[in-house]
Amino acid sequence: MNTVPPARSVTTLTTVAVFAAPVLAGLYGGIRLLDGSRAPGPGWTVGHSLLLLALLLFAPLLVALERAPGPRRTPAARVAGRVTLGAAFTGLAASLGQIGIDLYVGAVAVDKADQHRLFEAVQSRPGVEPVFYSVLPLLFHLGLLALLVGASVGAGRVLPWWSPVLVAVGTVLTAADLAFLPLVAVCQLVALAPLAGYGPGARRPVAAQAARAARAARAA
């Protein structure tokens, strides 16, 4: 009986995260395009708060992808999947730290010039730049992409082949210009929807499998 509530929880959380994470990230990208949103003020705070929530919701998605059926069933492959998940979570934690810094600076800065000064003071500290901005955050994107590939190959795949392709395109667009973030969010939404059983190419989604497991447990 103890296995039923967790299965329900994972199902609901995964389904919500599939849609909410890209939408919140897209809203941040849209706010970022508004005048004044890159200076201290409501636009900066609201936009970065939405991005913070979006990143938090990627945590259950990473776990669901790592647990998805696929070629990672041998002991060595399971270890590789967990290492990839650990790397993705390391990058996610670094990205959350970056958003925390951005929110702090936006809250205490009095104007754009003061904001620049505070950012320079924080980022000039040893280790801050690679840990929170330039190196470790990349592990989130690379880990997410690797988990998507793992969930989209093999007989037990739960995602279509084009899911990791869409996310890879979105990653490239993000690196090119943050103005593409709303479009990137659309790519992520379409790519992740099959994980919750929606959209073309959905194959035995993780959420649906958890629901079936819960029903089987209740029947037993």
Side-chain angles (χ1 to χ4, degrees), residues 59 62-64 66 80-90 143 147:
L62 294 174
V63 173
E66 194 277 330
R82 288 167 187 167
V83 170
T84 302
L85 181 64
F89 266 111
T90 299
L147 291 171

Side-chain angles (χ1 to χ4, degrees), residues 2-83:
N2 292 336
T3 60
V4 176
R8 284 178 176 173
S9 176
V10 168
T11 299
T12 302
L13 186 56
T14 300
T15 302
V16 170
V18 160
F19 298 100
V23 168
L24 291 172
L27 288 174
Y28 161 72
I31 290 175
R32 193 177 178 278
L33 297 176
L34 300 176
D35 290 339
S37 62
R38 302 185 197 180
W44 179 276
T45 301
V46 172
H48 283 78
S49 296
L50 292 174
L51 183 58
L52 179 68
L53 291 174
L55 289 175
L56 288 172
L57 285 170
F58 268 101
L61 293 179
L62 294 174
V63 173
L65 288 169
E66 194 277 330
R67 292 177 177 175
R72 303 189 301 272
R73 298 302 95 191
T74 65
R78 284 198 296 269
V79 170
R82 288 167 187 167
V83 170

Side-chain angles (χ1 to χ4, degrees), residues 53 131 136 195 219:
L53 291 174
V131 169
L136 286 189
L195 191 64

Side-chain angles (χ1 to χ4, degrees), residues 140-185:
F140 166 63
H141 300 285
L142 295 175
L144 173 62
L145 186 58
L147 291 171
L148 284 165
V149 170
S152 63
V153 299
R157 62 189 182 276
V158 298
L159 294 175
W161 63 268
W162 43 260
S163 285
V165 174
L166 279 176
V167 172
V169 170
T171 301
V172 172
L173 290 175
T174 302
D177 194 330
L178 292 179
F180 289 118
L181 281 174
L183 178 58
V184 172

